[in-house]
Amino acid sequence: MKKILRRIVNDLWAYILWIVVVIVAWTLIFGYLTHIDVDEKVCVFIGSQSAGFEKYEELNEKRPEYLKKVEVNAYSINDGIFSTVLSIFGYEAGDILILPESRLSEESCPQSFAEISPSYCQQFANKGFYTADGKVYGLLVHEKGNTESLISCIDYGKSENDDNYYLLFNVKSLHLSDLSDESKKSNMDGAIKVAWELLAL
């Protein structure tokens, strides 16, 4: 028994190394097999009072045919690292963002969000617009103090936590076709179609 234990202790580094190699290999293989390219998915970033989104499956069932997936990243704006998460999963990776007005500024809109043309503004259900320099960048989906919202499955907060919430399109998105000029529309308009579905939830 002592010989067996001594052998195990002597070879412990080999067992640990083997476990690490298996874990790394499995992670790489799984990542490769499940990887979806950015041009095959639309990412929705939601910053609200909760870190969940219950209609994920329903949104995926209604996605445009050319997309393999609609990814939803929902985070609580009360989280201490929300600003970091917003930068990574919102401004860098998101196609559609739903954010409270307190997180928006007129100065940053042109660099972060795509302009929505008047013809598209008429096509989207909304309660109003977020504008900067006379251009529309966001669609009001929840009005502060109002109990009814366009996307009812999001927790917008109550009383002191309540705010106006807007749906915005990331200027970096590959799935916008051309929001500023409908005549230049292309087939890569998945973010627009997913937004229509979001506003119908």
Side-chain angles (χ1 to χ4, degrees):
M1 185 70 174
K2 288 183 179 179
K3 286 182 180 179
I4 294 171
L5 286 173
R6 194 177 302 121
R7 190 168 187 177
I8 289 172
V9 169
N10 289 340
D11 295 335
L12 187 61
W13 66 271
Y15 297 127
I16 293 171
L17 182 61
W18 174 248
I19 291 169
V20 169
V21 167
V22 169
I23 290 171
V24 169
W26 173 249
T27 302
L28 291 173
I29 291 167
F30 184 76
Y32 175 77
L33 293 175
T34 59
H35 175 74
I36 298 174
D37 289 332
V38 71
D39 60 341
E40 296 177 315
K41 69 178 176 180
V42 163
C43 297
V44 180
F45 181 91
I46 302 171
S48 66
Q49 293 294 323
S50 70
F53 183 74
E54 63 189 45
K55 302 240 178 154
Y56 171 79
E57 293 297 332
E58 186 177 332
L59 196 59
N60 261 282
E61 287 171 8
K62 297 178 179 179
R63 72 184 184 272
E65 286 184 20
Y66 82 93
L67 295 176
K68 289 185 178 177
K69 182 181 182 183
V70 175
E71 186 177 284
V72 179
N73 295 303
Y75 295 94
S76 169
I77 59 173
N78 301 315
D79 194 318
I81 61 165
F82 179 76
S83 294
T84 304
V85 170
L86 175 59
S87 295
I88 297 168
F89 294 105
Y91 296 135
E92 288 301 317
D95 295 287
I96 299 168
L97 293 89
I98 298 171
L99 296 170
E101 189 169 4
S102 59
R103 292 285 175 166
L104 305 175
S105 70
E106 289 189 28
E107 298 78 31
S108 65
C109 269
Q111 291 82 36
S112 303
F113 306 114
E115 178 190 348
I116 306 170
S117 71
S119 59
Y120 273 114
C121 287
Q122 294 170 5
Q123 295 178 33
F124 287 109
N126 67 84
K127 294 173 169 283
F129 304 106
Y130 188 88
T131 60
D133 294 328
K135 297 176 182 176
V136 174
Y137 289 98
L139 307 167
L140 183 63
V141 295
H142 170 77
E143 189 174 12
K144 185 176 182 177
N146 196 331
T147 54
E148 292 184 13
S149 307
L150 291 178
I151 309 171
S152 59
C153 56
I154 295 175
D155 181 4
Y156 300 102
K158 294 179 177 66
S159 60
E160 72 278 355
N161 294 325
D162 199 8
D163 200 347
N164 289 330
Y165 279 76
Y166 293 89
L167 183 148
L168 310 108
F169 296 95
N170 192 334
V171 73
K172 298 177 184 176
S173 175
L174 301 176
H175 303 280
L176 289 182
S177 182
D178 194 327
L179 268 177
S180 62
D181 187 349
E182 194 177 1
S183 65
K184 296 179 182 174
K185 187 177 179 299
S186 73
N187 292 330
M188 290 286 284
D189 61 350
I192 296 168
K193 291 177 177 171
V194 170
W196 283 333
E197 295 301 336
L198 271 168
L199 293 167
L201 292 177

